[in-house]
Amino acid sequence: MPIQRKHTMYHSTVLEADPDTVWATVRDAMQILDIVSPGDLDIHRDVTWVDGASVDTVPARYDFKLTLNGRLVQQEIAARDEINKTQSYRAVAPTSGVASYEATIRVFPITNEPDRSFFDWSRTLEIAEDADLKVVEAIIDVMEQQTDAVRDHFAKTAK
């Protein structure tokens, strides 16, 4: 499928962990980045909170470098709802052909299965006119697999 200038993605999965356990992990940008870029598949490096930010502050800026091309990515937790287990974040500066980026993760209980959760991740990317489409395609390909990485992480910890 060709990349559109405004590219939207939606992924969801059932996780083998209760909502509180999942939320404690995925609300922390450092932990979720570690989960979605493990070891030799690492697409992020040098992940750090910036300007006094932390997992418990909102807004909270964090930076990392893409292993794909060494470019700095600057993102910020823009909103968090602890009760409804929802968090939105966005890019604060364009990079690697992505002019803007917004995403939301949500964790829902499964009523009849309290030890499991429903997880969804929606994203919107606006692609720059002069983007190197091979780099953008590589970034999108990685994003396409990240919800599965979250699922697999909780499947391992459930055993």
Side-chain angles (χ1 to χ4, degrees), residues 20-155:
D20 291 337
T21 300
V22 172
W23 181 244
T25 301
V26 301
R27 70 186 285 280
D28 182 344
M30 301 302 118
Q31 287 190 59
I32 199 160
L33 283 170
D34 188 46
I35 290 167
V36 300
S37 7
D40 56 349
L41 297 176
D42 187 23
I43 62 154
H44 312 105
R45 64 173 194 242
D46 303 328
V47 183
T48 57
W49 293 110
V50 179
D51 298 332
S54 74
V55 66
D56 293 318
T57 59
V58 176
R61 189 169 136 215
Y62 57 97
D63 293 351
F64 57 89
K65 289 188 181 172
L66 288 177
T67 304
L68 291 167
N69 58 11
R71 297 257 174 95
L72 181 67
V73 175
Q74 300 171 309
Q75 290 188 344
E76 156 182 271
I77 306 298
R80 179 183 299 136
D81 181 338
E82 297 285 356
I83 294 169
N84 294 307
K85 297 176 176 52
T86 300
Q87 179 165 276
S88 296
Y89 57 99
R90 63 184 179 165
V92 295
T95 190
S96 302
V98 178
S100 72
Y101 173 68
E102 295 178 0
T104 300
I105 56 173
R106 299 183 303 172
V107 179
F108 298 98
I110 298 176
T111 307
N112 60 345
E113 296 185 68
D115 292 338
R116 298 174 84 203
S117 306
F118 183 79
F119 174 81
D120 75 25
W121 199 338
S122 59
R123 308 175 205 208
T124 302
L125 298 87
E126 290 193 29
I127 311 305
E129 291 292 328
D130 62 346
D132 178 342
L133 294 183
K134 288 186 193 273
V135 170
V136 173
E137 286 171 1
I139 291 168
I140 289 171
D141 286 346
V142 167
M143 287 179 172
E144 291 283 348
Q145 301 170 38
Q146 290 179 329
T147 301
D148 289 346
V150 173
R151 181 201 61 218
D152 295 349
H153 170 80
F154 286 101

